[in-house]
Amino acid sequence: MPNGSRIRVGIVGYGVIGKRVAGAVARQADMVVAGVADVLTDWRMRAAARAGHTLFGAAQEHAVAMREAGLPVAGDLEALLGETDVVVDCTPKRVAARNVEIYRRRGTRFILQGGEKHAATGHSFVAEANYASAVGREATRVVSCNTTSVVRTLGALKRVGLLRSARGTLLRRATDPWESHLGGIMNTLVPEEDIPSHQGPDAQTVDPDLDVVTVAIKVPETIGHLHSWVVRLARPASREEVLAAFRTSSRIAFVEARDGLPAPNAIKEMTGDLGRPHGDLYEVALWSDTLKVEGEELFYNYMVDNQAIVIPETVDAIRALSGRERDAAASIARTDAALGITGDLV
Amino acid sequence: MPNGSRIRVGIVGYGVIGKRVAGAVARQADMVVAGVADVLTDWRMRAAARAGHTLFGAAQEHAVAMREAGLPVAGDLEALLGETDVVVDCTPKRVAARNVEIYRRRGTRFILQGGEKHAATGHSFVAEANYASAVGREATRVVSCNTTSVVRTLGALKRVGLLRSARGTLLRRATDPWESHLGGIMNTLVPEEDIPSHQGPDAQTVDPDLDVVTVAIKVPETIGHLHSWVVRLARPASREEVLAAFRTSSRIAFVEARDGLPAPNAIKEMTGDLGRPHGDLYEVALWSDTLKVEGEELFYNYMVDNQAIVIPETVDAIRALSGRERDAAASIARTDAALGITGDLV
Amino acid sequence: MPNGSRIRVGIVGYGVIGKRVAGAVARQADMVVAGVADVLTDWRMRAAARAGHTLFGAAQEHAVAMREAGLPVAGDLEALLGETDVVVDCTPKRVAARNVEIYRRRGTRFILQGGEKHAATGHSFVAEANYASAVGREATRVVSCNTTSVVRTLGALKRVGLLRSARGTLLRRATDPWESHLGGIMNTLVPEEDIPSHQGPDAQTVDPDLDVVTVAIKVPETIGHLHSWVVRLARPASREEVLAAFRTSSRIAFVEARDGLPAPNAIKEMTGDLGRPHGDLYEVALWSDTLKVEGEELFYNYMVDNQAIVIPETVDAIRALSGRERDAAASIARTDAALGITGDLV
Amino acid sequence: MPNGSRIRVGIVGYGVIGKRVAGAVARQADMVVAGVADVLTDWRMRAAARAGHTLFGAAQEHAVAMREAGLPVAGDLEALLGETDVVVDCTPKRVAARNVEIYRRRGTRFILQGGEKHAATGHSFVAEANYASAVGREATRVVSCNTTSVVRTLGALKRVGLLRSARGTLLRRATDPWESHLGGIMNTLVPEEDIPSHQGPDAQTVDPDLDVVTVAIKVPETIGHLHSWVVRLARPASREEVLAAFRTSSRIAFVEARDGLPAPNAIKEMTGDLGRPHGDLYEVALWSDTLKVEGEELFYNYMVDNQAIVIPETVDAIRALSGRERDAAASIARTDAALGITGDLV
């Protein structure tokens, strides 16, 4: 793609992640949304159009159905790819696998989301950890919300030589708000049957050196995930050293229970007050006042907004694949500025 | 207040309603936020400051505490009232009663919210029903979220001569999202002990002619209220006539279960997609496709966003009290335009 | 079947209803549980065996699988029917339809549950309403939990000439506790798309004269349903007359919000304290202290334990089909005594 | 107290714990319920009377109020203590502290529950860990539900020399079912502000050698707690060795996710099927099929029925204080047999 022009980004799948990626891309000075492709014909597509996005059918038949539903449609997926430098596939788990063949055939660089397997692209991405290795690649996979938070936080501890091993209990929200009328769990808890859960090995696809094991439990709420960690430190450290380590990441933000933010619902109210779209929390919101160091053990909890945390990573991944920006810090700074990420929340 | 200048609006109580009123006032070309007064010193005040509002302590002691917490404070309530044409009191239930004396003593026109009693101002307000009678008054009370929805919808039926009597079952959200870590009900339902519930008589403070009785039941969710109505029509009517009646209000918006919007959580996702602050739903969201007329009986359900529905009413009430705009339709049109209310949602 | 001996009852489907029917039948002096047939091999079958029931596979293959799982199996469905006078089919919705052919072929009298259609048996049953017409029949259908409550309560009003018409809003629990890890709704409400909902016409399969219309809304709890009714009386009546009408049914029990029983969770705690199996509430629990008469309108709320309310009806239906007891009142009295139903709860 | 006669047990506070203790004591051949004292006059006292318990007012004024409410009252607390060998105080947190003076003055042996502090009795009790040291004491404290589970499970690992250190994440139910209409959290999670949470030190009041640290998070459900543990073993061990260690306790019962018991709601259904009062789960229900050993690390999850787990401990504590039974194993066996605890569930 020619230097100087904007990176043209196609979004395939306009769901929880796709619509946020589209919104975030639209706010980057060096990018433009080429269009969004989907299979739906209901209010969600009308909302996409109202948000200013050009609509495409995921296949020809969907373009036809959209047109019949009165939606302004510009064509199908192939048409979208014709105007796209980097495509971000945000389709539901495992649907993307089929699209990959199309992207490969057309030579369009592509990004998958964390529901797909590492092998689908051979590269798994978290900006602060391995941006450089994605520069100019054909494809990468932005890892899942939980894994992104793991790599950000443990990566921060590792950078300053504090990390020995980490064991995390992950309380996973049962379903997303938009579809909470369709399913979810009620008045119970559901431990995942696989111990350890997949997030540890998944984090290792980004950084194989991480000694991390997780156990996951589904909980009856829709707001986001909550992680509780026990970390063995590589050496004795003060509380302040640990906090300073986390501060090296602009995408870990401290919240304080005693500042009126003791729980995810309050944190989401705050991000709503900040005027962020959908009240999105892009950062790991880590409770700094309740964090505790005991000897060589470190304990802390944080919240993960599963709908939003991968959005800045995806924007960086677009820039990396495009080859326009080779420097991780520079890309992160641009993304952060465009999304209002400052390291602090309020 | 001098013509031509903007109406200076003071907000007392920066909670769920207060912050929304402040944001909505800031979007009106003929109004300006003079400042917000509160008693808090935590993130909520920092968010208010970041939103551009001037902070005042609800009393001198609160101003001191805010200053000590590092907040930029411009003074106390008296100072705020010195720069205010109309004050909107959004303090918690029954706190406002005490503030009223201060407003009266200073001669500042004031608006109370629906938690207060009708007698506190002698006038209860819903823009489409009785704007004219509030013009130039010293004070009015914007009725509660539930009552506002009742007056809007039954008022629409009444305007076209269709209303005989209405019986409603109100499913009330148990608590607001921001404080759902502090209380609420779990895995149960709580019928209100008073049958009928207070919303019927409350609606009659706006329109004494309404024949309306309600029963209220608290339900274990935080998104908003849901009303289910059985209306006896004054004469046989078609479904289309009923829908046309509702369409006479810009603040009743139709949603369709079969368009992917069968439940409040999906509707809130949609208003979030529309980019509204906090995903606010100012309209009564009435399910038009499931509405049913059987003989002289009419059945329908709608959703009430208890955090947002009174916001446009409050803006209109400010304009009415100020005396600057004597025409209800003109005020409603200005408010609607500023808040993105069009009669349709998406 | 020979007089004097006990009625041999087979239970097909040992789920939420089946296991309760089995337990209730075991407590009747004139009945015996011939066995329970199911398709499962997990803890539920072991619990059935521990409860003293003889196990049968729903088909030969299930008998084999049960045996392989180490369960004591006495045979398959055909074997069970060989020792059964009346079979109660409690299989999931619409599965029973296939079993009916088997019952008919073998000439075994059978009872279906409310998930099946009226046409499947041509007779729909509520003991207080139409026991007599079921005596000696080949088959009947015990109507659903909601419909049972409607017929009991409106039937009581009708018996004393008070009923003109009834409009009910039904808050339906989203899923049963045992399977609440598999599905359900979260932090939302889901109005049924069909207005009126099916319970009105369903009640009319038992009593065609009832003027009843219902609207149903799914709510995020698992304990039971809650109905809110507006009844137009046939004539002015006092509160006491209405309560006396409800007292004519032993299966309507009064609860008082002001006695510490304001909500279904508290009511279930109480039935647990009474030592009932699973804390089952067989009665309609009607809030007598909040019931209100205004002119010719009557308002009241009640709770329905969807897992338990049809159990006494099913026991009566067995007796009716068997032909051993032709008198409704006599059967109801026997059933009530065996289950601890007294008209009062505590 | 004379040998040969039954131990006369008084229960003070007939709430969630008190009523279960009363029921469990009534099932012991060597004990008798002297009576229950409380302050209430509503259905709960009527249910207590129906359960066969003699009622006493917690003070004279309560006895009067009970009598006025039509309850059969035998006297006040002093009267109850006059007929009591061991009193079990099950009053709400910190109320018991005041009662202790009365018990001491009268020389009545007494048991407190886990809401009270260790210092209140100087002895904290878990039967399998320290029955012997409670024999003949004036008083003991049965530790809380969570702590009881910790001591049972880690104690089992310690007995066979497998325990080095344990780190647990405790998901705490937000409120009990009976009062879930009064409070609780909704659609959020609330991490406790103190890390570590108090259960670790509390377990050390029973066994000071346990190296245990816990983090607690309140979750929006009412069924019970769920613990997720990471244990460092003292030496490499097989999965079978670990399971065998847990099997040394009759009060740890295995459940299997793949047997249809993946979540607390399903487990409670099962205990209901077993016919236990209120479906009580006295055992730690530990998921044996998902338990995992990796090198010298052990991972497992279990459920704690916070309403029931301390009941068998309390029965044993009564026997210990009474001095009638000096042997822990003998007392545990008697209690288990009376309550249907067998080591297996179904």
Side-chain angles (χ1 to χ4, degrees):
Chain A
M1 58 200 109
N3 245 339
S5 64
R6 293 180 172 201
I7 309 166
R8 300 172 305 166
V9 181
I11 318 283
V12 180
Y14 193 77
V16 160
I17 298 298
K19 68 186 172 190
R20 284 173 172 81
V21 170
V25 164
R27 297 169 80 164
Q28 311 299 316
D30 58 342
M31 301 183 188
V32 63
V33 178
V36 301
D38 207 304
V39 301
L40 294 168
T41 59
D42 66 11
W43 68 270
R44 287 171 284 193
M45 291 300 102
R46 299 200 299 279
R50 278 193 50 165
H53 304 309
T54 308
L55 305 187
F56 293 83
Q60 187 53 38
E61 75 215 62
H62 304 117
V64 171
M66 284 171 160
R67 210 165 278 128
E68 283 169 2
L71 291 161
V73 195
D76 63 3
L77 177 59
E78 299 275 353
L80 172 58
L81 294 178
E83 302 171 18
T84 290
D85 299 317
V86 180
V87 64
V88 184
D89 194 300
C90 307
T91 54
K93 211 168 175 177
R94 282 185 266 276
V95 174
R98 277 174 277 144
N99 290 339
V100 162
E101 293 174 39
I102 304 175
Y103 307 148
R104 286 227 163 90
R105 173 169 47 76
R106 296 194 58 112
T108 310
R109 294 168 200 274
F110 62 93
I111 294 170
L112 304 184
Q113 294 294 322
E116 307 303 317
K117 295 197 178 306
H118 173 76
T121 67
H123 189 272
S124 292
F125 183 91
V126 173
E128 294 174 337
N130 65 353
Y131 183 98
S133 64
V135 172
R137 278 185 64 90
E138 176 204 38
T140 189
R141 177 185 73 118
V142 172
V143 293
S144 75
C145 50
N146 281 311
T147 304
T148 296
S149 75
V150 171
V151 176
R152 280 190 197 164
T153 50
L154 299 185
L157 294 174
K158 184 186 166 193
R159 274 197 293 280
V160 298
L162 277 176
L163 181 67
R164 184 165 149 201
S165 65
R167 301 295 175 259
T169 306
L170 280 48
L171 282 64
R172 304 186 60 182
R173 69 89 187 87
T175 191
D176 284 329
W178 77 271
E179 58 181 346
S180 68
H181 58 296
L182 296 175
I185 66 174
M186 296 179 66
N187 202 39
T188 194
L189 305 163
V190 188
E192 288 193 10
E193 296 189 8
D194 289 325
I195 295 181
S197 58
H198 71 277
Q199 289 85 4
D202 201 39
Q204 290 159 348
T205 65
V206 181
D207 183 345
D209 294 339
L210 296 177
D211 179 350
V212 52
V213 179
T214 59
V215 175
I217 301 167
K218 212 190 283 183
V219 293
E221 49 88 20
T222 65
I223 294 188
H225 307 312
L226 193 152
H227 289 205
S228 183
W229 287 91
V230 182
V231 170
R232 298 179 69 82
L233 297 171
R235 55 178 167 80
S238 69
R239 215 174 155 280
E240 287 62 38
E241 273 181 283
V242 169
L243 292 174
F246 287 137
R247 279 207 182 283
T248 62
S249 166
S250 65
R251 293 176 183 172
I252 300 171
F254 293 158
V255 288
E256 296 191 3
R258 296 178 183 89
D259 183 41
L261 293 169
N265 62 307
I267 294 173
K268 283 293 281 186
E269 183 80 10
M270 183 260 291
T271 52
D273 279 15
L274 295 183
R276 291 191 176 178
H278 285 97
D280 283 340
L281 172 70
Y282 303 118
E283 300 88 345
V284 173
L286 191 147
W287 279 283
S288 56
D289 58 344
T290 66
L291 175 148
K292 182 94 172 195
V293 180
E294 294 216 326
E296 295 194 4
E297 281 186 310
L298 163 65
F299 302 85
Y300 56 91
N301 300 319
Y302 62 69
M303 173 191 172
V304 175
D305 183 342
N306 64 293
Q307 301 188 126
I309 189 174
V310 300
I311 305 307
E313 309 295 334
T314 303
V315 171
D316 289 324
I318 294 167
R319 219 174 261 118
L321 293 197
S322 79
R324 301 284 189 86
E325 176 58 71
R326 310 191 73 81
D327 182 46
S331 175
I332 290 171
R334 288 186 82 156
T335 304
D336 285 357
L339 297 182
I341 300 171
T342 65
D344 287 314
L345 282 165
V346 65
Chain B
M1 60 200 107
N3 245 337
S5 65
R6 293 181 173 199
I7 309 167
R8 300 171 305 164
V9 181
I11 318 284
V12 179
Y14 193 77
V16 160
I17 298 297
K19 68 187 174 190
R20 284 173 171 82
V21 170
V25 165
R27 297 170 79 164
Q28 310 300 316
D30 58 343
M31 300 183 189
V32 63
V33 179
V36 302
D38 208 303
V39 301
L40 295 169
T41 59
D42 66 8
W43 68 269
R44 287 170 283 191
M45 290 301 101
R46 298 201 300 279
R50 278 192 51 166
H53 304 310
T54 307
L55 305 188
F56 294 82
Q60 187 55 35
E61 75 214 62
H62 304 117
V64 170
M66 285 171 158
R67 210 165 279 128
E68 282 170 1
L71 292 162
V73 195
D76 64 2
L77 177 58
E78 298 277 353
L80 172 58
L81 295 178
E83 303 172 17
T84 291
D85 298 317
V86 179
V87 63
V88 184
D89 194 301
C90 306
T91 54
K93 209 169 176 175
R94 280 185 266 277
V95 174
R98 278 173 278 144
N99 290 339
V100 161
E101 294 175 39
I102 304 174
Y103 309 147
R104 286 227 163 90
R105 174 168 47 76
R106 296 194 57 111
T108 309
R109 293 169 200 275
F110 63 93
I111 294 169
L112 303 184
Q113 294 294 322
E116 308 302 317
K117 297 198 176 305
H118 174 75
T121 66
H123 188 272
S124 292
F125 183 91
V126 173
E128 294 173 337
N130 66 352
Y131 182 99
S133 64
V135 172
R137 278 185 64 91
E138 175 205 37
T140 189
R141 177 184 73 119
V142 173
V143 294
S144 74
C145 49
N146 282 311
T147 305
T148 296
S149 76
V150 170
V151 176
R152 281 190 195 163
T153 52
L154 299 186
L157 294 175
K158 184 185 165 192
R159 275 196 293 279
V160 298
L162 277 176
L163 180 68
R164 182 164 150 204
S165 66
R167 301 295 176 258
T169 306
L170 281 46
L171 282 63
R172 305 186 61 181
R173 68 89 188 88
T175 192
D176 284 330
W178 76 272
E179 57 181 348
S180 69
H181 58 297
L182 296 176
I185 66 174
M186 295 179 66
N187 202 40
T188 193
L189 305 163
V190 187
E192 287 194 10
E193 296 188 8
D194 289 324
I195 294 181
S197 58
H198 71 275
Q199 288 85 5
D202 201 39
Q204 289 159 348
T205 65
V206 180
D207 183 346
D209 294 339
L210 296 177
D211 179 351
V212 52
V213 179
T214 58
V215 175
I217 300 166
K218 211 190 284 183
V219 293
E221 50 88 19
T222 66
I223 294 187
H225 307 312
L226 194 153
H227 289 204
S228 183
W229 288 91
V230 183
V231 170
R232 297 179 70 83
L233 298 171
R235 56 179 165 80
S238 69
R239 216 174 154 280
E240 286 64 37
E241 273 181 284
V242 170
L243 292 175
F246 287 136
R247 279 207 181 282
T248 62
S249 166
S250 65
R251 294 177 182 172
I252 301 171
F254 293 158
V255 289
E256 295 191 5
R258 295 178 183 86
D259 182 41
L261 295 169
N265 62 308
I267 293 173
K268 282 292 281 185
E269 182 79 11
M270 182 261 289
T271 52
D273 278 15
L274 296 183
R276 292 191 176 178
H278 285 99
D280 282 342
L281 172 70
Y282 305 117
E283 300 88 345
V284 172
L286 191 149
W287 280 282
S288 56
D289 58 343
T290 65
L291 175 149
K292 182 94 173 193
V293 180
E294 295 216 325
E296 297 195 4
E297 280 185 311
L298 163 65
F299 302 86
Y300 57 91
N301 300 320
Y302 61 69
M303 173 192 172
V304 176
D305 182 343
N306 64 294
Q307 301 189 123
I309 189 175
V310 299
I311 305 307
E313 309 295 334
T314 303
V315 170
D316 289 325
I318 293 167
R319 216 174 262 118
L321 292 198
S322 79
R324 301 283 189 84
E325 176 58 70
R326 310 191 72 81
D327 182 47
S331 175
I332 290 171
R334 288 185 83 157
T335 303
D336 286 358
L339 297 182
I341 299 171
T342 65
D344 286 315
L345 281 164
V346 66
Chain C
M1 60 201 108
N3 243 339
S5 64
R6 293 180 170 199
I7 309 167
R8 298 171 306 163
V9 181
I11 318 285
V12 179
Y14 193 77
V16 159
I17 299 298
K19 67 185 173 191
R20 284 173 171 81
V21 170
V25 165
R27 296 170 79 166
Q28 311 299 317
D30 58 342
M31 301 183 188
V32 63
V33 179
V36 301
D38 208 305
V39 301
L40 295 169
T41 59
D42 65 10
W43 68 270
R44 288 171 283 192
M45 290 301 101
R46 298 201 300 278
R50 277 192 51 163
H53 304 309
T54 307
L55 305 187
F56 294 82
Q60 187 53 35
E61 74 215 63
H62 304 117
V64 170
M66 285 171 159
R67 211 164 278 129
E68 283 169 1
L71 291 161
V73 195
D76 65 2
L77 177 59
E78 299 276 355
L80 172 59
L81 295 178
E83 303 171 16
T84 290
D85 298 317
V86 179
V87 64
V88 184
D89 194 301
C90 307
T91 53
K93 210 169 176 175
R94 278 184 269 276
V95 174
R98 277 174 278 141
N99 290 338
V100 161
E101 294 174 40
I102 303 174
Y103 308 147
R104 287 228 163 88
R105 175 168 47 74
R106 297 192 58 111
T108 310
R109 294 167 199 276
F110 62 94
I111 294 169
L112 303 185
Q113 294 295 321
E116 308 303 316
K117 297 197 178 305
H118 173 77
T121 66
H123 187 273
S124 292
F125 183 91
V126 173
E128 294 174 336
N130 65 351
Y131 182 98
S133 64
V135 172
R137 277 186 65 91
E138 175 203 38
T140 189
R141 177 185 72 119
V142 172
V143 293
S144 75
C145 49
N146 281 310
T147 305
T148 297
S149 75
V150 170
V151 176
R152 280 191 197 164
T153 51
L154 299 185
L157 295 174
K158 185 185 165 194
R159 274 197 293 278
V160 298
L162 277 176
L163 180 68
R164 182 164 151 204
S165 66
R167 302 294 176 258
T169 306
L170 280 48
L171 283 63
R172 305 185 59 182
R173 68 92 186 87
T175 191
D176 285 329
W178 77 272
E179 58 181 346
S180 70
H181 58 295
L182 295 175
I185 66 174
M186 294 179 67
N187 203 38
T188 194
L189 304 163
V190 187
E192 287 192 12
E193 297 189 7
D194 289 324
I195 294 182
S197 57
H198 71 277
Q199 289 85 3
D202 201 39
Q204 290 159 349
T205 64
V206 181
D207 183 346
D209 294 339
L210 296 177
D211 178 351
V212 53
V213 179
T214 59
V215 175
I217 301 167
K218 211 191 286 184
V219 293
E221 49 88 18
T222 65
I223 294 188
H225 307 312
L226 194 152
H227 289 205
S228 183
W229 286 92
V230 182
V231 170
R232 298 179 70 82
L233 298 170
R235 55 179 167 82
S238 69
R239 215 174 154 283
E240 287 63 37
E241 273 181 284
V242 170
L243 292 175
F246 287 137
R247 279 206 182 282
T248 63
S249 165
S250 64
R251 292 177 181 172
I252 300 172
F254 293 158
V255 288
E256 296 191 4
R258 295 177 184 88
D259 182 42
L261 294 169
N265 62 307
I267 294 173
K268 283 291 280 184
E269 183 78 12
M270 181 260 291
T271 51
D273 278 15
L274 295 183
R276 292 190 175 178
H278 285 99
D280 282 341
L281 172 70
Y282 304 117
E283 300 88 344
V284 172
L286 191 149
W287 279 283
S288 56
D289 58 344
T290 67
L291 174 148
K292 182 97 173 190
V293 180
E294 294 216 325
E296 297 194 3
E297 280 184 311
L298 163 66
F299 303 85
Y300 56 91
N301 300 320
Y302 62 69
M303 173 193 172
V304 176
D305 182 342
N306 63 293
Q307 302 188 123
I309 190 174
V310 299
I311 305 307
E313 309 296 334
T314 303
V315 171
D316 289 325
I318 293 167
R319 218 174 261 119
L321 294 197
S322 79
R324 302 281 190 88
E325 176 58 71
R326 310 191 72 81
D327 182 46
S331 175
I332 290 171
R334 289 186 81 156
T335 303
D336 286 359
L339 297 182
I341 299 172
T342 65
D344 287 314
L345 281 165
V346 67
Chain D
M1 60 200 108
N3 244 341
S5 64
R6 293 182 172 198
I7 309 167
R8 299 171 305 164
V9 181
I11 318 284
V12 179
Y14 194 77
V16 160
I17 298 297
K19 68 186 173 191
R20 284 173 172 82
V21 170
V25 165
R27 297 170 79 165
Q28 310 299 317
D30 58 343
M31 301 183 189
V32 63
V33 179
V36 302
D38 207 303
V39 301
L40 295 168
T41 59
D42 67 8
W43 68 270
R44 288 170 283 191
M45 290 302 101
R46 298 200 300 277
R50 277 192 51 164
H53 304 309
T54 307
L55 305 187
F56 293 82
Q60 187 53 37
E61 75 214 62
H62 304 117
V64 170
M66 285 171 159
R67 210 163 278 129
E68 282 169 2
L71 291 162
V73 195
D76 63 3
L77 177 59
E78 299 276 354
L80 172 59
L81 294 179
E83 304 171 17
T84 290
D85 298 317
V86 180
V87 63
V88 184
D89 194 300
C90 307
T91 54
K93 210 170 175 176
R94 281 185 266 276
V95 173
R98 278 176 277 143
N99 290 339
V100 161
E101 294 174 39
I102 304 174
Y103 308 148
R104 286 228 163 91
R105 175 167 48 74
R106 296 193 57 109
T108 310
R109 294 169 199 275
F110 62 94
I111 294 169
L112 304 184
Q113 294 293 322
E116 308 302 317
K117 295 197 179 306
H118 173 75
T121 66
H123 188 271
S124 292
F125 183 91
V126 172
E128 294 174 337
N130 65 352
Y131 182 98
S133 63
V135 173
R137 277 185 65 90
E138 174 202 40
T140 188
R141 178 184 71 118
V142 172
V143 294
S144 75
C145 50
N146 281 310
T147 304
T148 297
S149 76
V150 170
V151 176
R152 279 191 197 164
T153 52
L154 299 186
L157 295 174
K158 184 186 164 193
R159 275 197 292 280
V160 298
L162 277 176
L163 181 67
R164 182 165 150 201
S165 65
R167 302 293 175 258
T169 305
L170 280 48
L171 282 63
R172 303 185 62 181
R173 67 90 188 86
T175 192
D176 285 328
W178 76 271
E179 58 180 346
S180 68
H181 58 295
L182 296 175
I185 66 174
M186 295 180 65
N187 203 39
T188 193
L189 305 163
V190 188
E192 288 194 10
E193 297 189 8
D194 288 324
I195 294 181
S197 58
H198 71 277
Q199 289 85 4
D202 201 38
Q204 289 159 349
T205 65
V206 181
D207 183 347
D209 294 339
L210 296 177
D211 179 350
V212 53
V213 179
T214 59
V215 175
I217 301 166
K218 213 190 283 183
V219 294
E221 49 88 18
T222 65
I223 294 187
H225 307 312
L226 194 153
H227 289 204
S228 184
W229 287 92
V230 182
V231 170
R232 297 179 70 82
L233 298 171
R235 56 179 166 80
S238 69
R239 215 174 155 281
E240 286 63 37
E241 274 181 282
V242 169
L243 292 174
F246 287 137
R247 278 206 182 283
T248 62
S249 165
S250 65
R251 293 177 182 173
I252 301 171
F254 293 158
V255 289
E256 296 191 4
R258 295 178 182 87
D259 183 42
L261 294 169
N265 61 308
I267 294 173
K268 284 291 280 184
E269 183 78 11
M270 182 260 290
T271 51
D273 279 15
L274 295 184
R276 291 191 177 178
H278 285 97
D280 283 340
L281 172 70
Y282 304 117
E283 300 88 346
V284 172
L286 190 149
W287 279 282
S288 56
D289 59 343
T290 66
L291 174 148
K292 182 94 172 194
V293 180
E294 294 217 324
E296 296 193 3
E297 281 185 311
L298 163 65
F299 302 85
Y300 57 90
N301 300 320
Y302 62 70
M303 172 192 174
V304 175
D305 182 343
N306 63 293
Q307 302 189 124
I309 190 175
V310 299
I311 304 308
E313 309 295 334
T314 302
V315 171
D316 289 324
I318 293 167
R319 218 175 262 119
L321 293 197
S322 79
R324 302 284 188 85
E325 175 57 71
R326 310 191 72 81
D327 182 48
S331 175
I332 290 172
R334 289 184 82 156
T335 304
D336 286 358
L339 298 182
I341 300 172
T342 65
D344 287 314
L345 281 165
V346 67

